[in-house]
Amino acid sequence: MRVLILLLFFTLEIFAHDLTHTRSNTQSITVAFAFSSQVDFAYKNYEIFAPDTTIPFAVGRTDALSRVTFVPNQTGEWKLKVFSEDGHGKVVTIDVKEDMSTTEQTQTPKWLKIYSGMLSIFFIFALLFIYKQRKIR
Amino acid sequence: MHIPDGFLSPQTYISATVVAAGLLAYSSKKVHFDTQRIPILAGLSGFAFVLMLITIPVLGATSIHLTGIAIMSILFGPWMSAIAFALVLLVQAFLLGDGGVTSLGVNIISMAFVGSFCAHFVHRSLKQYSEKIALLSAGFLSVVASAFLIAITLGLQPLIASQDGSPLYFPFALDITLVAVMVPNMIAGVLEAFLTMSAVGFLHKHFRGYLYDA
């Protein structure tokens, strides 16, 4: 009987190695990165920080389509940092709402960046030109 | 090549910002903005801005861009080109969020100043032998020298700011950053070399009176 009890006790130990898992359809947040094509920031490092924390909530690599997907467990400002060995990367702030969703944010189109940047540069040089012209007069 | 926000420790970016501000203040005293030259300088600054927005994928894992810094340096002198290029970086960082605001100091020192002066000195010392070789070398080395300083700055971050052995800002050490930054930028350097040669040749031919007399 004693041997049987002992055996039963050790049988319970077997379950210590049984890693359980659950599947769910919880709402997740996906952030996609790109230079010029959809997949040029694939398999790069990332760190996700929950609001007001310094230890990462999650670390990993972007997927084959240069995306990071995570499931937040609290509201507030989450920080996602992506980086590669050559110094490329970005820190993105994600505001997570009560229902664990976030507002969709799209990148400024490149043509708009070029247009506004050129306009700003020319405006500054135009001001410099006017200032110099007036000084000469 | 721009270092984004969050990759540099405060020790690095605060000192770099102070140095960059000092260099810009000194540069502004060294240059004289001639009204005849301002329009071409504005055009070249706009050109540099667009060049830096065009990303070229290389080696299947990273991207490079050209800068146009050597063109500006050879045609307008290193001080003026450094100021104009710093303005371009400023617009990119504050207006468009390209390149970090905290890392602006490092970006200005490495690209605007190191790139400009490297191109200027290389061109000046080689042009007596061959103008073409001088232009090609200036273009190539302006990118490579800037990339080298960026690789060093990034690679030193784990030594400068770590907590319990974990890097706080940028995790890769010097041996990794030197290879990862330098190899793609050597390709960028080759492209920059040919761009510099053709652009300087064109502008010298058509706008000679409006350029810097080196």
Side-chain angles (χ1 to χ4, degrees):
Chain A
M1 188 63 185
R2 271 186 201 166
V3 175
L4 197 66
I5 290 169
L6 208 64
L7 271 173
L8 266 172
F9 177 77
F10 281 112
T11 312
L12 285 172
E13 283 292 298
I14 293 167
F15 294 110
H17 301 286
D18 180 27
L19 183 64
T20 61
H21 76 278
T22 49
R23 274 190 299 183
S24 67
N25 293 318
T26 319
Q27 186 164 15
S28 63
I29 292 170
T30 301
V31 186
F33 296 90
F35 287 116
S36 52
S37 78
Q38 198 184 14
V39 293
D40 49 14
F41 209 70
Y43 310 119
K44 303 295 181 200
N45 300 277
Y46 74 78
E47 289 174 353
I48 298 169
F49 296 90
D52 308 314
T53 56
T54 50
I55 297 167
F57 175 79
V59 292
R61 283 178 181 269
T62 54
D63 67 14
L65 297 177
S66 310
R67 298 173 305 187
V68 174
T69 301
F70 72 103
V71 184
N73 63 346
Q74 57 175 296
T75 57
E77 264 194 7
W78 287 68
K79 276 207 172 91
L80 166 60
K81 184 177 176 180
V82 285
F83 50 94
S84 58
E85 293 84 347
D86 59 359
H88 282 118
K90 203 169 191 174
V91 179
V92 183
T93 306
I94 303 153
D95 194 21
V96 176
K97 296 179 202 163
E98 287 286 334
D99 59 351
M100 295 297 131
S101 70
T102 184
T103 42
E104 213 164 283
Q105 244 184 341
T106 47
Q107 196 85 28
T108 317
K110 203 157 238 182
W111 67 267
L112 193 62
K113 278 186 173 186
I114 293 174
Y115 185 73
S116 51
M118 292 281 275
L119 218 63
S120 317
I121 290 166
F122 289 150
F123 178 71
I124 294 164
F125 276 108
L127 286 180
L128 182 69
F129 184 81
I130 293 163
Y131 171 75
K132 285 283 171 186
Q133 283 278 46
R134 280 193 178 175
K135 229 179 160 183
I136 291 166
R137 281 176 197 165
Chain B
M1 207 193 287
H2 306 55
I3 303 177
D5 278 323
F7 282 30
L8 298 177
S9 58
Q11 297 96 308
T12 311
Y13 69 71
I14 290 170
S15 33
T17 306
V18 171
V19 172
L23 282 170
L24 283 173
Y26 184 71
S27 309
S28 64
K29 286 186 180 170
K30 294 278 288 182
V31 299
H32 169 67
F33 285 103
D34 187 338
T35 48
Q36 265 198 321
R37 292 171 184 176
I38 289 173
I40 297 181
L41 184 61
L44 277 179
S45 303
F47 180 61
F49 173 80
V50 175
L51 274 180
M52 286 196 283
L53 280 182
I54 301 168
T55 48
I56 308 159
V58 286
L59 310 169
T62 187
S63 78
I64 53 167
H65 62 75
L66 305 184
T67 62
I69 187 71
I71 304 169
M72 284 208 280
S73 177
I74 292 160
L75 297 178
F76 287 94
W79 296 105
M80 201 177 276
S81 82
I83 291 179
F85 204 80
L87 172 73
V88 173
L89 292 172
L90 225 91
V91 168
Q92 280 192 317
F94 283 100
L95 209 79
L96 310 172
D98 281 351
V101 172
T102 54
S103 52
L104 193 59
V106 172
N107 289 335
I108 286 176
I109 294 169
S110 57
M111 282 191 267
F113 282 97
V114 172
S116 275
F117 278 90
C118 182
H120 172 73
F121 288 121
V122 169
H123 179 251
R124 207 173 67 172
S125 41
L126 292 179
K127 72 175 179 181
Q128 52 189 321
Y129 305 110
S130 159
E131 179 66 12
K132 270 188 183 172
I133 289 171
L135 290 172
L136 287 170
S137 310
F140 178 75
L141 288 169
S142 68
V143 173
V144 170
S146 303
F148 182 69
L149 187 62
I150 283 179
I152 298 269
T153 311
L154 285 171
L156 287 177
Q157 293 313 300
L159 293 177
I160 294 170
S162 290
Q163 195 175 39
D164 306 324
S166 303
L168 291 171
Y169 298 95
F170 191 73
F172 302 109
L174 210 53
D175 55 335
I176 298 171
T177 58
L178 275 172
V179 177
V181 177
M182 296 304 290
V183 172
N185 276 296
M186 285 202 177
I187 300 168
V190 173
L191 298 175
E192 185 89 26
F194 286 102
L195 176 80
T196 306
M197 192 179 69
S198 43
V200 171
F202 174 82
L203 289 165
H204 255 148
K205 197 174 168 188
H206 297 281
F207 301 92
R208 180 166 282 277
Y210 303 94
L211 308 170
Y212 167 78
D213 307 313

